[in-house]
C-alpha cells in the first residue's frame, strides 16, 4: 500500500471514529448537567418526580458513558497511531491541554462511580447533588480541554517556526489561541442543547405512546426550556464564530458561503447547488454575509479566489454549514413555540403532530452536531495544522491502515447495536409508573 | 534530578498503577468466567462485581493517562511507537472497548448471557498479551529504519522466545495479582468459600509468576546484553522483591493477614517494576530512542509537571474518598447495601 492510500485510510478511520465518538461524547458532556439540574429542582421544589428523573437519566447515562469512554480511548490512541508525524510536531506545543483532559476525565470517572453506587446511602439528597457537581464539571472540562487542542489545529500559536524547528514554546499561549473562545463555547452550548433535546424527545415519545403521567410532562417542559436557552446561546456564539472565521480563517468562511469574489456588502447564500462554479437556486440575503463577518453591512469579505488553489477546502462544506444552521434555527423555533405555548396555554403544542416534531428534534440536533464537526474539520483541509503542516505529511507510513479501518468499523457497529438494545430494554422493562409505585412501597416499609 | 527523569518516573508510576488495577480487573474477569465454566459461579460473582462496579472506569483512565503523558513528555515516541504499534495497539484498543462496553451492558443493562461472561474473561487474557508486546519491542531488535519510514518485523517478533516469555509473564502476573487482592477482599467480606477458592488460585499462580519473571532475565542475556548487565547490577533490588514475594506466599499459605500479604505483593511488583525501568535507562526504544533525545522542550515539561501536581492534588483525595466509600465500607463490601442508582 502506497503512502497515498495510508493517508486516505487514515482520514477515513479518524473520521469514522470521531463521528461515532461525538455522539456519545456530546451526550457525555450534556447529560450530567441535566441530571444535576433535575436533582437540584427536586430538592428545591421537594418534588420526588425530579429526583426520580435524575436517577433514571443517570442509569441510561452509564451506558452511553461506557461507549464514550472506550471510543474516546480509541481516538486518543489513534492520534498517535494514525498521525505520528503530526503528534511528534504538535505534541511539543499542545500536550498540556491533552494531559489536562485526562485529569478532568479521571475526576469525572471517580465521582460518577461514587454517585452511581451511593443512591439512598445518604439521607440528605443534597449530598447526592454535591457528588454530581464534580461529574458535571469534569465532563464539561474535558470538552473544554480537548476542544482547545482542536482549536490549536485551526489557529496554531504559542511557538516560533525557525528553519522547520519549533522554538520559544509557550504552552499556555497555545491553549488560549484565537479559535479557542468561540470553539469551546459553541461545543459546550450545542452539547447541552442536544442533550436537552434528546431527553425531550424521550419524554415526548413516552407521552405519545400512551403514558400520560405528569412525570413525563414535567420532564418535557424542563428539557424544552433548557434546550431553548442553549439553542439561543449556540446561535449567538455561532455568530461570533463567523466573525472569528472572517478574521483568521477567511478561506473556510468563503468556501462555506461559496463566496468567490472579494467585495463589499457581501450577500449570504442559503442552500442552492453548485454547477461548474455557478451557484444556482440559492436564496440570497443581501449584505448578510458582511454582517455575519464584520457586523457591518458594507464591510469587505475576502473571497475564495484570493487563495492558492491547493489551499482551499472542498466546496461541499456549504451543504454541511447550511444543514447545521437550519437545524439549529428550527430547534430554537420549535422549543420557543413550545415554551411560550405552555405559558399561554396553546392547545396545539399537546397535539400528536407537535409531539412527533419534538421526538424528531433530538436526533436532528445530533445530526447538526455531526454536520457542524464535519464542516469544521473538512473546512480546514488541506491543513492538519493550519498554515504549518498538511494532512498528507502527517499520516502514518504503515501499510495496514485499511485492515484497521475494517476492524474498527466492526467494533463501532457492535457498540452501536449493543448500546441501543440495552438502552431500550432498560427503560421498556421498568416504566416510570412501576418505579414510582415501588418507591412508595419502599417508603411505607413494604417489601419489593 | 533532571526533568527527563521526573517525566519518565511519573509515567512509570502511572503505568505501575495501571498494571496493578488492570491486573485485578482482568484477573477478576477471568476467574469469574472460569468459575462459571466449573459451575462455581455463585461463589465468586457477588464479590467480584461489588469490587469492580464502582472502579471499572477509573482503571481505564490510568492507561489513557499513561499514553497521553508519554506523548506529552516524549513527543518522538508518537513517531516511533505510533508508527510501529498500529496493529497491536489497535487490537488492544478494540478488545478493551468490547470489554468495557460489555461490562456496562451486562451490569447496568441486564444483558445476561453466559457467552458474554466467557468473552469478558477471555479478553482479560488477550489484552495484557497484546499490550505487553510494547515491552518486548522496547528491547530493540524488531524495528528497522528504512527509507520510507520505520517498520516492525513481525516475523522476528513472533518467533522470538523473548516475546512469548513476556506474554506468559504478563498472564501469570495478572492472575497472581488478582487472586491475592481478591482473597483479601473476599476475606473482608467475610465470605469464606470465596476466600478459600481465591486463596487456592493465588497459591497456584504464584509459582509460574515467579518462574517466568526469572526466565525473562535469562532471555535478556542473549537478546540485549547491555540491558542484561544493568539488570544484574541491580540484583539487590530483585532480591528484596523476591523476599517480599516469599512473604506474600507465606501469609496466604498460613491464612494470615491477607491485607499485609497484598501490601507485600504491591511492594514486590513495585520494586521489580522500577528496577526493570531503571535498568532500561536511558532508552525508550533501544537503540533509536533515549529519554534525552526525545524529550519535549523545557517550557512544556515544566507546564506538564505543574499540571501533574495540581491534578494529583485533585485526584488523591477523590481516590481516597472512592476507596473509603467502597473498599473500606464494611456494609458495602459485605453486600449489605445495594445503593446502585
Amino acid at each position: 500500500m502506497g503512502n497515498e492510500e495510508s493517508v486516505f485510510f487514515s482520514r477515513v478511520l479518524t473520521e469514522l471514529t470521531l463521528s461515532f465518538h461525538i455522539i456519545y461524547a456530546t451526550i457525555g458532556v450534556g447529560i450530567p448537567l441535566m441530571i444535576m439540574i433535575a436533582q437540584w429542582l427536586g430538592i428545591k421544589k421537594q418534588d420526588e418526580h425530579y429526583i426520580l428523573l435524575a436517577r433514571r437519566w443517570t442509569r441510561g447515562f452509564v451506558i452511553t458513558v461506557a461507549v464514550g469512554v472506550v471510543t474516546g480511548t480509541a481516538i486518543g490512541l489513534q492520534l498517535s497511531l494514525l498521525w505520528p508525524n503530526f503528534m511528534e510536531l504538535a505534541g511539543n506545543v499542545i500536550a498540556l491541554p491533552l494531559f489536562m483532559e485526562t485529569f478532568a476525565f479521571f475526576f469525572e470517572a471517580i465521582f460518577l462511580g461514587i454517585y452511581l453506587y451511593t443512591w439512598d446511602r445518604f439521607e440528605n439528597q443534597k449530598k447526592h447533588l454535591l457528588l454530581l457537581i464534580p461529574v458535571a464539571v469534569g465532563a464539561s472540562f474535558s470538552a473544554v480541554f480537548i476542544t482547545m487542542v482542536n482549536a490549536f489545529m485551526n489557529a496554531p500559536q504559542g511557538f516560533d517556526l525557525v528553519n522547520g524547528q519549533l522554538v520559544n514554546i509557550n504552552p499556555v499561549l497555545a491553549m488560549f489561541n484565537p479559535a479557542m473562545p468561540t470553539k469551546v463555547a459553541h461545543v459546550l452550548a450545542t452539547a447541552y442543547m442536544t442533550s436537552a433535546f434528546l431527553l425531550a424527545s424521550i419524554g415526548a415519545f413516552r407521552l405519545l405512546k400512551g403514558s400520560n403521567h405528569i412525570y413525563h410532562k414535567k420532564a418535557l417542559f424542563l428539557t424544552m426550556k433548557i434546550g431553548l436557552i442553549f439553542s439561543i446561546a449556540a446561535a449567538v456564539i455561532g455568530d461570533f464564530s463567523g466573525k472569528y472565521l472572517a478574521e483568521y480563517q477567511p478561506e473556510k468562511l468563503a468556501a462555506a458561503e461559496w463566496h468567490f469574489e472579494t467585495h463589499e456588502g457581501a450577500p449570504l447564500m442559503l442552500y442552492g447547488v453548485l454547477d461548474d462554479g455557478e451557484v444556482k437556486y440559492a436564496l440570497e440575503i443581501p449584505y448578510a454575509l458582511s454582517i455575519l463577518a464584520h457586523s457591518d453591512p458594507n464591510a469587505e469579505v475576502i473571497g475564495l479566489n484570493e487563495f492558492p488553489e491547493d489551499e482551499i477546502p472542498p466546496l461541499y462544506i456549504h451543504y454541511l454549514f447550511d444543514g447545521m444552521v437550519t437545524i439549529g434555527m428550527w430547534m430554537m423555533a420549535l422549543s420557543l413555540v413550545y415554551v411560550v405555548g405552555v405559558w399561554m396555554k396553546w392547545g396545539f403544542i399537546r397535539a400528536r403532530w407537535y409531539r412527533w416534531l419534538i421526538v424528531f428534534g433530538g436526533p436532528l440536533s445530533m445530526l447538526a452536531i455531526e454536520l457542524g464537526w464535519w464542516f469544521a474539520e473538512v473546512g480546514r483541509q488541506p491543513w492538519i495544522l493550519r498554515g504549518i503542516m498538511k494532512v498528507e505529511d502527517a499520516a502514518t507510513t504503515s501499510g495496514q491502515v485499511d485492515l484497521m479501518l475494517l476492524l474498527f468499523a466492526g467494533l463501532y457497529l457492535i457498540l452501536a447495536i449493543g448500546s441501543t438494545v440495552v438502552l431500550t430494554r432498560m427503560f421498556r422493562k421498568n416504566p416510570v409508573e412501576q418505579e414510582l409505585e415501588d418507591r412508595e412501597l419502599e417508603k411505607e416499609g413494604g417489601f419489593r | 534530578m533532571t526533568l527527563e527523569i521526573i517525566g519518565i518516573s511519573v509515567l512509570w508510576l502511572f503505568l505501575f498503577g495501571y498494571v496493578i488495577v488492570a491486573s485485578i480487573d482482568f484477573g477478576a474477569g477471568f476467574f469469574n468466567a472460569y468459575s462459571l465454566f466449573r459451575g462455581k459461579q455463585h461463589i465468586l460473582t457477588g464479590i467480584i462485581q461489588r469490587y469492580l462496579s464502582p472502579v471499572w472506569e477509573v482503571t481505564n483512565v490510568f492507561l489513557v493517562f499513561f499514553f497521553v503523558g508519554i506523548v506529552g513528555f516524549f513527543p518522538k515516541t508518537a513517531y516511533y511507537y505510533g508508527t510501529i504499534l498500529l496493529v497491536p495497539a489497535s487490537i488492544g484498543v478494540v478488545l478493551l472497548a468490547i470489554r468495557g462496553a460489555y461490562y456496562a451492558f451486562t451490569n447496568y443493562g441486564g444483558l445476561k448471557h453466559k457467552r458474554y461472561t466467557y468473552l469478558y474473561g477471555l479478553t482479560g487474557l488477550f489484552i495484557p498479551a497484546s499490550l505487553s508486546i510494547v515491552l518486548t519491542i522496547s528491547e530493540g531488535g524488531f524495528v528497522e529504519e528504512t527509507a520510507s519510514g520505520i517498520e516492525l518485523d513481525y516475523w522476528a517478533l513472533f518467533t522470538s522466545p523473548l516475546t512469548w516469555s513476556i506474554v506468559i509473564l504478563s498472564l501469570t502476573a495478572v492472575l497472581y495479582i488478582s487472586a491475592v487482592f481478591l482473597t483479601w477482599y473476599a476475606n473482608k467480606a467475610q465470605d469464606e468459600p470465596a476466600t478459600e477458592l481465591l486463596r487456592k488460585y493465588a497459591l497456584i499462580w504464584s509459582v509460574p509468576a515467579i518462574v517466568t519473571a526469572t526466565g525473562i532475565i535469562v532471555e535478556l542475556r542473549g537478546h540485549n546484553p547491555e540491558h542484561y548487565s544493568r539488570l544484574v547490577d541491580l540484583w539487590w533490588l530483585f532480591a528484596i522483591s523476591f523476599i517480599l514475594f516469599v512473604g506474600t506466599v507465606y501469609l496466604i499459605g498460613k491464612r494470615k493477614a491477607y491485607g499485609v500479604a497484598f501490601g507485600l505483593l504491591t511492594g514486590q511488583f513495585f520494586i521489580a517494576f522500577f528496577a526493570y525501568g531503571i535498568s532500561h535507562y536511558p532508552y525508550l526504544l533501544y537503540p533509536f530512542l533515549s529519554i534525552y533525545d526525545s524529550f519535549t522542550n523545557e517550557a512544556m515539561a515544566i507546564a506538564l509537571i505543574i499540571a501533574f501536581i495540581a491534578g494529583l492534588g485533585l485526584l488523591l483525595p477523590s481516590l481516597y474518598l472512592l476507596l473509603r466509600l467502597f473498599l473500606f465500607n464494611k456494609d458495602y463490601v459485605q453486600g449489605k447495601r445495594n445503593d446502585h442508582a
Side-chain angles (χ1 to χ4, degrees):
Chain A
M1 193 160 73
N3 196 40
E4 251 168 56
E5 281 174 54
S6 293
V7 175
F8 173 75
F9 285 117
S10 296
R11 287 180 58 177
V12 177
L13 179 50
T14 309
E15 181 170 7
L16 180 70
T17 304
L18 277 173
S19 299
F20 190 71
H21 176 63
I22 52 173
I23 296 174
Y24 294 89
T26 302
I27 294 172
V29 171
I31 301 276
L33 184 75
M34 307 301 141
I35 298 172
M36 200 173 90
I37 293 173
Q39 178 85 14
W40 174 72
L41 276 178
I43 294 169
K44 213 184 81 172
K45 295 188 171 179
Q46 288 296 316
D47 187 336
E48 186 71 7
H49 287 146
Y50 287 102
I51 303 270
L52 188 62
L53 202 56
R55 184 174 191 158
R56 287 173 67 87
W57 282 347
T58 306
R59 269 192 232 131
F61 177 63
V62 182
I63 303 294
T64 59
V65 163
V67 180
V69 167
V70 296
T71 52
T73 311
I75 188 64
L77 259 170
Q78 278 176 5
L79 272 182
S80 299
L81 297 174
L82 298 173
W83 310 99
N85 299 306
F86 161 70
M87 285 304 279
E88 187 190 358
L89 181 78
N92 283 299
V93 195
I94 203 62
L96 183 62
L98 215 55
F99 197 63
M100 287 161 82
E101 197 259 354
T102 56
F103 273 117
F105 174 35
F106 217 141
F107 197 53
E108 183 197 347
I110 290 174
F111 280 94
L112 184 63
I114 296 177
Y115 176 72
L116 270 177
Y117 283 87
T118 51
W119 262 97
D120 297 335
R121 194 187 280 195
F122 310 120
E123 278 297 308
N124 190 348
Q125 281 291 336
K126 279 185 186 149
K127 283 191 180 165
H128 294 300
L129 183 63
L130 282 180
L131 288 172
L132 271 172
I133 294 170
V135 179
V137 168
S140 292
F141 268 86
S142 35
V144 169
F145 290 128
I146 207 67
T147 311
M148 281 176 166
V149 177
N150 181 270
F152 172 81
M153 294 161 86
N154 281 279
Q157 70 166 28
F159 58 90
D160 292 321
L161 199 61
V162 179
N163 301 330
Q165 298 287 314
L166 303 180
V167 293
N168 296 332
I169 285 158
N170 184 339
V172 178
L173 203 62
M175 280 168 70
F176 292 93
N177 57 69
M180 191 280 283
T182 46
K183 276 227 173 219
V184 168
H186 198 64
V187 163
L188 288 180
T190 52
Y192 300 146
M193 165 189 160
T194 304
S195 304
F197 285 138
L198 277 173
L199 296 172
S201 48
I202 296 173
F205 188 73
R206 293 311 313 161
L207 286 171
L208 273 169
K209 287 288 157 192
S211 168
N212 207 22
H213 203 282
I214 183 83
Y215 166 92
H216 294 302
K217 290 181 183 160
K218 285 178 186 170
L220 186 58
F221 188 43
L222 173 65
T223 48
M224 288 300 268
K225 268 192 290 189
I226 301 173
L228 173 63
I229 293 168
F230 285 110
S231 57
I232 294 171
V236 172
I237 300 157
D239 180 61
F240 290 139
S241 307
K243 292 174 176 47
Y244 157 78
L245 286 180
E247 181 86 24
Y248 293 93
Q249 278 179 296
E251 74 280 13
K252 194 193 253 185
L253 185 69
E257 290 301 335
W258 288 344
H259 180 63
F260 297 100
E261 303 287 337
T262 301
H263 56 87
E264 292 166 7
L268 187 77
M269 302 277 191
L270 276 181
Y271 315 113
V273 288
L274 199 62
D275 187 20
D276 263 344
E278 288 281 311
V279 182
K280 284 183 182 163
Y281 317 115
L283 276 171
E284 207 177 294
I285 308 173
Y287 304 110
L289 185 58
S290 288
I291 297 174
L292 176 71
H294 302 288
S295 306
D296 169 6
N298 292 314
E300 184 185 86
V301 181
I302 301 170
L304 262 187
N305 296 349
E306 310 288 322
F307 298 94
E309 203 142 314
D310 61 343
E311 287 183 14
I312 57 174
L315 291 175
Y316 73 80
I317 63 172
H318 175 78
Y319 304 116
L320 306 175
F321 182 74
D322 274 359
M324 169 185 80
V325 173
T326 308
I327 294 174
M329 292 295 154
W330 165 248
M331 289 312 296
M332 189 159 53
L334 191 73
S335 54
L336 181 69
V337 169
Y338 183 84
V339 171
V340 174
V342 170
W343 285 330
M344 308 294 283
K345 299 201 166 43
W346 291 340
F348 72 89
I349 55 158
R350 276 184 294 276
R352 290 186 70 81
W353 63 271
Y354 204 86
R355 284 189 173 148
W356 274 115
L357 290 181
I358 299 175
V359 171
F360 290 120
L364 260 184
S365 309
M366 192 55 86
L367 177 66
I369 294 272
E370 296 281 358
L371 292 172
W373 272 114
W374 292 332
F375 162 63
E377 295 303 281
V378 180
R380 72 183 148 94
Q381 291 299 318
W383 302 104
I384 191 163
L385 265 182
R386 185 183 174 273
I388 295 172
M389 190 184 231
K390 287 200 173 164
V391 171
E392 68 235 37
D393 302 319
T396 180
T397 48
S398 171
Q400 287 102 0
V401 191
D402 47 354
L403 278 176
M404 294 303 107
L405 176 62
L406 290 177
L407 181 72
F408 278 101
L411 171 71
Y412 302 146
L413 189 68
I414 292 173
L415 291 180
I417 295 173
S419 56
T420 317
V421 169
V422 165
L423 278 172
T424 35
R425 265 182 31 163
M426 222 166 151
F427 289 96
R428 197 166 285 161
K429 270 194 180 167
N430 186 13
V432 71
E433 288 83 357
Q434 180 69 45
E435 194 167 352
L436 277 168
E437 244 168 62
D438 288 349
R439 281 179 80 80
E440 277 308 311
L441 276 180
E442 217 175 312
K443 274 207 188 114
E444 289 159 13
F447 61 92
R448 306 183 56 165
Chain B
M1 218 174 178
T2 60
L3 288 174
E4 285 89 342
I5 304 271
I6 296 178
I8 196 70
S9 307
V10 163
L11 294 173
W12 203 240
L13 190 69
F14 262 81
L15 191 59
F16 175 73
Y18 181 68
V19 167
I20 296 294
V21 291
S23 294
I24 294 172
D25 186 305
F26 294 145
F30 178 78
F31 290 135
N32 192 26
Y34 180 71
S35 66
L36 177 67
F37 181 68
R38 296 284 307 268
K40 291 178 182 169
Q41 202 196 14
H42 54 282
I43 305 179
L44 289 188
T45 302
I47 284 287
I48 288 175
Q49 270 184 5
R50 272 204 295 286
Y51 166 71
L52 286 184
S53 297
V55 301
W56 65 273
E57 261 190 293
V58 177
T59 309
N60 216 28
V61 192
F62 274 94
L63 178 69
V64 176
F65 195 98
F66 175 74
F67 69 66
V68 170
I70 197 159
V71 174
F73 277 104
F74 304 96
K76 273 207 175 72
T77 53
Y79 172 68
Y80 280 94
Y81 280 113
T83 309
I84 304 165
L85 289 178
L86 179 69
V87 176
S90 292
I91 292 173
V93 169
V94 169
L95 291 174
L96 271 176
I98 292 177
R99 186 182 166 81
Y102 272 107
Y103 185 77
F105 293 173
T106 49
N107 269 282
Y108 306 106
L111 200 67
K112 294 219 184 318
H113 196 285
K114 277 187 175 183
R115 92 172 153 251
Y116 299 130
T117 312
Y118 289 136
L119 192 71
Y120 190 72
L122 280 180
T123 54
L125 296 185
F126 283 118
I127 295 168
S130 74
L131 296 182
S132 64
I133 292 278
V134 183
L135 286 179
T136 321
I137 292 171
S138 78
E139 292 299 335
F142 307 111
V143 176
E144 276 172 59
E145 210 153 19
T146 62
S148 62
I150 45 175
E151 264 171 45
L152 184 62
D153 185 345
Y154 283 98
W155 177 250
L157 184 67
F158 286 115
T159 51
S160 161
L162 182 68
T163 310
W164 296 106
S165 317
I166 291 184
V167 166
I168 292 168
L169 174 66
S170 72
L171 293 183
T172 53
V174 158
L175 295 173
Y176 175 56
I177 293 172
S178 184
V180 172
F181 174 82
L182 289 171
T183 308
W184 174 43
Y185 193 74
N187 184 248
K188 269 179 88 81
Q190 295 175 347
D191 186 338
E192 286 254 339
T195 314
E196 275 308 303
L197 187 61
L198 289 160
R199 176 182 160 270
K200 207 173 80 194
Y201 290 155
L203 291 174
I204 290 172
W205 286 105
S206 66
V207 180
I210 200 76
V211 170
T212 43
T214 323
I216 302 279
I217 300 181
V218 180
E219 285 291 336
L220 273 178
R221 189 178 180 170
H223 189 85
N224 185 341
E226 202 182 325
H227 188 183
Y228 173 76
S229 75
R230 273 197 308 271
L231 270 173
V232 172
D233 290 343
L234 293 169
W235 68 268
W236 53 279
L237 280 176
F238 292 101
I240 297 174
S241 173
F242 183 76
I243 293 167
L244 294 176
F245 167 78
V246 173
T248 311
V249 175
Y250 173 79
L251 287 175
I252 299 237
K254 288 272 172 195
R255 291 192 177 80
K256 276 202 296 209
Y258 292 128
V260 179
F262 181 67
L264 294 181
L265 169 121
T266 315
Q268 173 210 338
F269 276 90
F270 184 81
I271 292 172
F273 199 74
F274 270 79
Y276 173 82
I278 294 166
S279 69
H280 212 288
Y281 173 85
Y283 293 104
L284 290 171
L285 172 60
Y286 183 86
F288 298 106
L289 203 60
S290 83
I291 64 171
Y292 295 101
D293 52 43
S294 65
F295 199 57
T296 187
N297 56 87
E298 203 182 317
M300 180 56 82
I302 292 169
L304 286 179
I305 288 169
I306 292 172
F308 174 74
I309 291 168
L312 272 193
L314 208 62
L315 280 187
L316 291 179
S318 322
L319 273 175
Y320 175 73
L321 183 65
L322 185 74
L323 293 179
R324 267 304 294 269
L325 287 170
F326 300 108
L327 207 49
F328 301 118
N329 184 289
K330 233 177 151 188
D331 285 350
Y332 177 80
V333 173
Q334 293 177 6
K336 288 181 187 154
R337 302 200 61 104
N338 177 18
D339 294 331
H340 169 42

